[in-house]
Amino acid sequence: MTGTLRVAMIGHGFMGAAHSQGWRVAPRFFDLPVEPEMAVIVGRDAAGVEASARKWGWEQAATDWREVIARDDIDVVDIVTPGDTHAEIAIAALEAGKHVLCEKPLANTVGEAESMADAAARAAERGVRSMVGFTYRRVPAATFARDLVAQGRLGEIRQVRAEYLQDWLMDADAPLTWRMKKEHAGSGALGDIGAHAVDLTEYITGQNVESVSGIIETIVSERPVLASGQGLSGTAGAERGAVTVDDVALFTGRLAQGALASFEATRFRTGRKNALRIEISGSTGALAFDLERLNELEFYDATHPGTELGFRRILVTEHDHPYLAPWWPTGHMLGYEHGFSHQVRDLVTAIHEGAQPRPSFDDGLHVQRVLDAVERSSAAGSTWVSTLA
C-alpha cells in the first residue's frame, strides 16, 4: 500500500478530541509508511460536528455515518461513540471494506462483541484490519513494563494488583449522563475503566484472566436529569433518574499460568483523579506503574544482593525506550495525548504491512467476557466464573 489512508471518525466528544490529536500529530513525528488524512468527522448534531471539524482539523463534517461508510474515498473508520452503537457501526464498516479502530470496551455485551469479532475475522480474509483502542498499552512506561516481563526480568509471575481509581462521581448531585445508563454504556466503572485494568494486566503479563470472583455496587442510585439536549455543562433540574450501572467493581482473577490478580475499578475513590495502577510481583523481580506518574516505572530486581535491594525509579524518557525516539530530548515528559499518536502509528503500520494490529477484536472480545463474568459472579454471590468461551 502506498499513498494515503483517508479516515472517517464517528463521534466527536471527549474521545473524539483525543483521537483527533492522534491522527493529526502522529504523521508529523513518526515516519509513517502511509499518510493518514483526516477526511470527515461524523456526529448527530450538525452545528456541533461542524464546530468540531473546524477545531480539530477535519476536512468535512457529516451527520449520517452510513453515508460516510459507503463512500469510496474512505479507508479507515474510527469509532468513538457510546458502546451501544459500536457493533452496528463496526460491522457495517468492515463489511464495506473499511479498516476499523473501535474504542474500548469493544461492545456492551458478549453477543455484540462476538458478532464484531466474527465480522473482523471475515474482513481479515480480504485484507481488512481492525483494532480496539486500549490506548494505555501505548504509554511508553507500560510498554517497557511488558518488555521487562517478556525478557524474564520478573521470573515466574506470582501475583498482580491492578486498579483504576477516579472520583469524578463523588458528588451525588452530578448529572445523569449516558455513562450511567446501562442501555448506552453496558456497565459503569467495570467497563469504562475496569476494562483498562484487565487489558493492561493481560498485556504486561502476557497471560489472560481465565476466571473471576467479584462484586459490583451502585453507590448513588439516582441522579439529577439534565434538560433535554444539554450536555455535561447543562443545568440539571429537580427531576432525578435511575443510575443503572455500577459505581465500583471489586474482583479477583486467576491468570492462565495460575497467578492470582486483584482488580478494583471505581469512580468513587476520593482524591484519585485518573490512577490506573498496576503492580506485578514475580519470583525474581517486581514492577509498578501508575498513570498519574506516567513517565515513570518502579522496578525491583530480587537477584541483587540483600544490601542493595529496593524499588528503583526508572524515568522512561530515553530514546531507547518504546515510542520515544521521534519525540523530545531525553528527560522531557510525554502526556496522556501521546498514546493516541502511538496508536495511530501502530495501526497505520500494521495496515501497510498487511499485519493484524493488536489489540485485536478477539482481544476485545476476551475482555468483554471478563467483564460479563464479573457481573455474573456478583449476581451469584461472588462465585467463581470462567471467562473462557
Side-chain angles (χ1 to χ4, degrees), residues 61-303:
T63 57
D64 190 331
W65 63 262
R66 293 175 181 83
E67 289 183 358
V68 170
I69 285 175
R71 286 170 46 168
D72 292 335
D73 66 333
I74 298 301
D75 304 300
V76 179
V77 173
D78 184 1
I79 303 169
V80 295
T81 55
D84 60 322
T85 63
H86 285 186
E88 183 181 13
I89 298 173
I91 292 171
L94 290 166
E95 290 178 346
K98 315 301 184 185
H99 308 291
V100 172
L101 171 61
C102 183
E103 255 304 320
K104 50 52 60 185
L106 185 61
N108 277 4
T109 67
V110 170
E112 290 175 349
E114 287 175 337
S115 297
M116 295 170 74
D118 288 344
R122 294 192 301 271
E125 295 176 355
R126 298 178 281 115
V128 178
R129 307 300 167 189
S130 52
M131 189 171 81
V132 187
F134 282 110
T135 320
Y136 294 136
R137 288 185 175 211
R138 294 175 166 88
V139 173
T143 310
F144 184 56
R146 186 277 313 266
D147 293 346
L148 290 173
V149 172
Q151 293 164 12
R153 298 292 299 277
L154 272 61
E156 175 192 358
I157 302 303
R158 292 174 169 171
Q159 187 175 351
V160 177
R161 181 177 183 177
E163 51 191 9
Y164 204 151
L165 315 174
Q166 298 177 341
D167 72 354
W168 63 279
L169 285 182
M170 282 297 301
D171 182 358
D173 290 324
L176 184 69
T177 67
W178 69 267
R179 290 186 184 275
M180 296 167 235
K181 300 178 182 179
K182 190 172 183 63
E183 67 270 23
H184 296 306
S187 63
L190 176 62
D192 184 22
I193 54 180
H196 277 303
V198 171
D199 181 72
L200 201 59
T201 295
E202 296 188 335
Y203 173 66
I204 293 176
T205 64
Q207 301 179 42
N208 281 351
V209 177
E210 293 194 341
S211 58
V212 296
S213 169
I215 186 169
I216 60 176
E217 185 80 17
T218 302
I219 295 175
V220 176
S221 59
E222 291 186 342
R223 290 185 176 275
V225 177
L226 291 173
S228 177
Q230 290 186 331
L232 281 173
S233 60
T235 302
E239 180 186 358
R240 300 181 75 87
V243 175
T244 52
V245 298
D246 59 281
D247 289 324
V248 60
L250 302 169
F251 56 103
T252 303
R254 189 173 294 279
L255 303 185
Q257 295 178 18
L260 281 176
S262 62
F263 295 90
E264 178 179 356
T266 177
R267 301 189 287 211
F268 275 78
R269 182 67 80 86
T270 307
R272 298 298 182 188
K273 302 306 175 184
N274 199 39
L276 173 57
R277 304 149 66 98
I278 183 165
E279 184 165 343
I280 301 175
S281 301
S283 58
T284 60
L287 58 82
F289 169 75
D290 188 335
L291 185 65
E292 290 186 339
R293 298 166 62 186
L294 83 171
N295 292 281
E296 301 177 18
L297 188 68
E298 291 184 87
F299 179 62
Y300 182 97
D301 190 339
T303 67

Side-chain angles (χ1 to χ4, degrees), residues 5-10 15-29 32 34-40 56-58 75-80 99-102 131 337 339-349 351:
L5 281 173
R6 289 181 57 79
V7 181
M9 187 172 73
I10 318 298
M15 274 295 107
H19 281 232
S20 295
Q21 174 81 350
W23 289 113
R24 182 173 62 240
V25 172
R28 289 162 175 80
F29 279 83
L32 300 181
V34 184
E35 179 80 9
E37 294 182 353
M38 298 168 64
V40 57
W56 299 331
W58 293 86
D75 304 300
V76 179
V77 173
D78 184 1
I79 303 169
V80 295
H99 308 291
V100 172
L101 171 61
C102 183
M131 189 171 81
E337 73 278 9
F340 295 92
S341 294
H342 302 158
Q343 179 171 260
V344 167
R345 177 260 193 193
D346 289 349
L347 177 61
V348 169
T349 300
I351 290 172

Side-chain angles (χ1 to χ4, degrees), residues 44-66:
R44 289 174 296 183
D45 174 63
V49 75
E50 286 279 1
S52 294
R54 291 191 301 270
K55 182 176 182 178
W56 299 331
W58 293 86
E59 295 175 10
Q60 303 171 24
T63 57
D64 190 331
W65 63 262
R66 293 175 181 83

